[in-house]
Amino acid sequence: LMSLVDPDWVRALDRPLRHPVPGAGSTAAAELPAATALMALTWQMQPAGQRQGKSLDDPAARQRFMGRFFEAVERAKPLQALVASRWRAWLLQELPSPRSGAPAPTRSASMGVPMGDWLRRGPPAEAEAEPELTGAGHRQPQAASGASPSVLPSAVQNAASDATPRWRARPFGVNLFGFAFGELGIGEDVRMAAQACEAAQIPYRVVNVNPGSQLRQGDRALESQVEGSVAEAPYAVNLFCMPGFDMVGRVVMRDGPGVLADHYNIGWWPWELPVWPRRWASAFELVDEVWAATGFTQSMYAAATARPVTLMPLPATVERLVPTPRRELGLPARKFLFLFIFDFNSHLPRKNPWAVVAAFQAAFAPSDRTVGLVLKTMNTRADDAQWQAFKTLCSQDKRISLMEQTLDRGAVLGLVQACDAYVSLHRAEGFGRTLAEAMLLGKPVVATDFSGNVDFLSSRTGFPVAWQRQLLAPGDYPFVEADDAAWWAEPEVGDAARQLIAARAAAAEPAFAPRVLRYARKQFAPDRIGALMRQRLEAVWDQK
């Protein structure tokens, strides 16, 4: 029967329908994917009593109906032929275990869908369940028995190449996909991309992508520009300002491959390691080209894909700064303060706050009370043993102030302004936005001389720290497997200590801050990067 069904029918029936975006405080059911045209037809065929006056716009009703729908699919082979394969992948995804040590349930089990022949077939050889968000826009893929290196259903893999010839019928401009309201670094990526478009007079719309209910989404700077539906992305170019993994999991696997149709698709994808995970090589099939924010990521992407790779720096500004006195921040008034800002969800070993503490203590004797170290983080977990051990380490030095809270954008910049120098002894960074923002405030920056920040942090503009190469084992970082041969930098604590001392001395030099400010304002200017964006977009538009 399946061989008689035209794949175009399946794609048409799998078209996601628009549903109102749930407001803050919605239940987990609100994060369900949109219902498809096939589901809507089946919904309408139900007796009115089963619909109980509800509609598929109601997340709880949609959740209950999907359970019944997939139960029917398991029992009716003719219906199976009409259901896109991505739904088997979605149903077989493992959910977080409700109890520590307990086996992880599948979504099908949680919805009461029986494990019949259709589900036992599993995802197609080239498919995998939708990845689970681990925070800060990164997702940890679930292991799948017998899974091949590809992570995308075939209908999704071909979406970009099939759509390319028709995108010219749309008007020139970009649809910016990203975490527009998310209070995290990659949320700022899409907000800054919008500012660059405005500076270069590039027509644009913003399509907000929900990063998950566990992340605060209070940044409303783009609220007036946000479009509530993928169907309202009118321009020829889709520009995905998010990791490639999130483009797969939060956009394509939720809304279907139709989101890519009739558009030229560009992934402005951040990534931190010098290699791309081989298991995710098929993600490049979703896009027509990749934009790399730094020379570091440009080299990595160029080695990983035959798609065009364009160096496109990320813009940064500190225009939304809210000056905040140290007193209001609970910080000492007269000490020279070093600052490090990091998100617990951005993978703690990569951010490497231990090295910051070690370098600070190596640079300044315990008796030196003229200095302090401020560590500002968010999304910490009280049940995380590693984090509790780090807190204990910090509590043993009274000069260290640990701030565990999510601040509004202006307040975060106010904190940077209130401190005297910035330090980041990361093991890898795709860009290094907080470093850029510190430079835009004229602060001395001490940072590992590796990865994205190498483009803008040199011995003339800051204080780079020497490092040694360190190999990564499977499990050390999301998506990394043994055959990736992944690695990152291990900063040298002794050199970092010397650079902290040098940074403190530089802060007292009258010429230092103006020199850094002049450089940073030019390097990260939205109008400069907007002009580069427009130049590349016009080159794409003019291609024959």
Side-chain angles (χ1 to χ4, degrees):
L1 176 63
M2 289 186 180
S3 64
L4 299 177
V5 175
D6 190 323
D8 287 340
W9 299 354
V10 177
R11 282 192 284 271
L13 290 170
D14 194 47
R15 177 175 58 85
L17 303 181
R18 177 178 178 177
H19 297 291
V21 178
S26 301
T27 64
E31 296 185 18
L32 284 170
T36 64
L38 176 61
M39 292 177 189
L41 288 170
T42 310
W43 171 271
Q44 292 299 326
M45 293 170 63
Q46 292 183 113
Q50 289 189 24
R51 294 198 296 268
Q52 298 177 333
K54 300 285 188 180
S55 78
L56 288 176
D57 290 343
D58 178 80
R62 190 158 79 248
Q63 183 183 48
R64 288 192 297 270
F65 169 71
M66 282 185 173
R68 297 198 303 273
F69 174 82
F70 288 115
E71 183 178 0
V73 169
E74 272 291 11
R75 293 173 179 168
K77 287 188 177 180
L79 188 56
Q80 294 172 12
L82 299 175
V83 177
S85 60
R86 70 184 177 106
W87 290 103
R88 291 206 308 276
W90 182 74
L91 286 164
L92 291 171
Q93 180 187 0
E94 291 184 351
L95 301 177
S97 175
R99 300 185 311 278
S100 177
T106 61
R107 180 175 276 113
S108 59
S110 71
M111 297 177 72
V113 179
M115 181 67 75
D117 291 340
W118 182 69
L119 270 181
R120 284 198 184 95
R121 265 184 262 151
E126 70 275 13
E128 175 181 285
E130 178 187 351
E132 185 68 21
L133 186 70
T134 59
H138 297 307
R139 298 163 178 273
Q140 179 64 50
Q142 302 293 335
S145 177
S148 79
S150 176
V151 297
L152 305 175
S154 56
V156 172
Q157 289 183 41
N158 297 327
S161 58
D162 288 347
T164 302
R166 298 188 293 271
W167 60 267
R168 291 183 179 277
R170 293 180 177 271
F172 176 82
V174 294
N175 310 303
L176 299 173
F177 286 75
F179 306 125
F181 301 148
E183 295 179 79
L184 64 166
I186 52 177
E188 196 62 18
D189 287 356
V190 71
R191 292 188 284 270
M192 286 289 96
Q195 191 165 335
C197 286
E198 290 184 0
Q201 297 183 330
I202 300 170
Y204 75 96
R205 295 274 180 90
V206 179
V207 181
N208 182 48
V209 177
N210 188 346
S213 58
Q214 72 272 42
L215 295 176
R216 206 172 90 162
Q217 299 177 66
D219 194 315
R220 296 285 154 169
L222 290 182
E223 189 162 22
S224 63
Q225 293 98 319
V226 164
E227 296 294 332
S229 169
V230 173
E232 294 175 8
Y235 295 113
V237 177
N238 284 336
L239 183 55
F240 294 90
C241 304
M242 62 180 70
F245 320 105
D246 282 303
M247 179 180 168
V248 174
R250 286 288 176 190
V251 180
V252 179
M253 290 297 289
R254 293 216 167 172
D255 298 321
V259 68
L260 306 177
D262 304 331
H263 293 89
Y264 187 89
N265 297 289
I266 300 175
W268 205 354
W269 294 348
W271 180 237
E272 300 80 23
L273 300 186
V275 297
W276 181 259
R278 295 185 185 182
R279 192 181 185 199
W280 283 84
S282 57
F284 293 110
E285 296 178 32
L286 294 176
V287 296
D288 297 286
E289 71 174 81
V290 178
W291 284 3
T294 60
F296 169 74
T297 51
Q298 182 186 28
S299 298
M300 177 272 299
Y301 283 128
T305 181
R307 297 286 200 228
V309 178
T310 300
L311 177 61
M312 191 62 65
L314 286 168
T317 73
V318 291
E319 293 174 354
R320 295 166 63 192
L321 181 148
V322 177
T324 310
R326 287 188 177 184
R327 180 183 65 258
E328 293 182 17
L329 296 165
L331 299 177
R334 294 183 177 83
K335 290 186 177 182
F336 187 97
L337 296 181
F338 292 92
L339 172 67
F340 178 41
I341 298 173
F342 60 102
D343 187 339
F344 182 87
N345 280 337
S346 290
H347 197 72
L348 205 60
R350 178 175 71 83
K351 291 296 186 178
N352 199 19
W354 297 275
V356 175
V357 172
F360 173 78
Q361 293 177 333
F364 307 106
S367 59
D368 187 347
R369 300 295 174 174
T370 65
V371 293
L373 174 62
V374 181
L375 301 171
K376 189 273 174 193
T377 187
M378 62 182 183
N379 298 317
T380 57
R381 295 193 297 271
D383 62 349
D384 187 279
Q386 187 180 49
W387 177 246
Q388 294 305 316
F390 181 73
K391 287 181 66 175
T392 299
L393 172 68
C394 293
S395 68
Q396 294 169 358
D397 190 332
K398 300 303 181 185
R399 300 172 300 172
I400 299 176
S401 301
L402 187 58
M403 302 173 65
E404 293 183 77
Q405 60 190 116
T406 301
L407 299 175
D408 293 338
R409 169 72 177 158
V412 171
L413 295 174
L415 173 62
V416 180
Q417 184 188 52
C419 294
D420 299 291
Y422 193 82
V423 55
S424 175
L425 299 183
H426 53 266
R427 292 184 166 107
E429 281 286 1
F431 171 41
R433 182 169 294 280
T434 56
L435 284 68
E437 290 165 351
M439 293 173 67
L440 283 165
L441 291 170
K443 306 296 179 180
V445 175
V446 177
T448 312
D449 191 23
F450 175 72
S451 56
N453 54 281
V454 170
D455 280 12
F456 55 85
L457 190 77
S458 66
S459 57
R460 176 167 173 76
T461 60
F463 300 87
V465 173
W467 54 276
Q468 299 293 326
R469 180 171 170 147
Q470 183 182 73
L471 294 176
L472 291 173
D476 284 349
Y477 200 65
F479 314 115
V480 168
E481 297 185 2
D483 60 353
D484 291 322
W487 58 278
W488 59 18
E490 184 62 40
E492 295 181 0
V493 169
D495 189 52
R498 289 187 288 273
Q499 296 290 44
L500 290 176
I501 294 170
R504 184 183 184 183
E509 297 174 6
F512 180 83
R515 184 175 74 244
V516 170
L517 278 171
R518 283 193 301 271
Y519 170 79
R521 286 171 178 167
K522 180 179 179 181
Q523 174 71 17
F524 306 117
D527 58 350
R528 181 181 84 89
I529 288 144
L532 293 173
M533 292 171 65
R534 188 172 189 103
Q535 181 181 19
R536 177 55 192 161
L537 291 170
E538 288 178 345
V540 168
W541 193 262
D542 292 339
Q543 289 175 357
K544 302 300 183 184

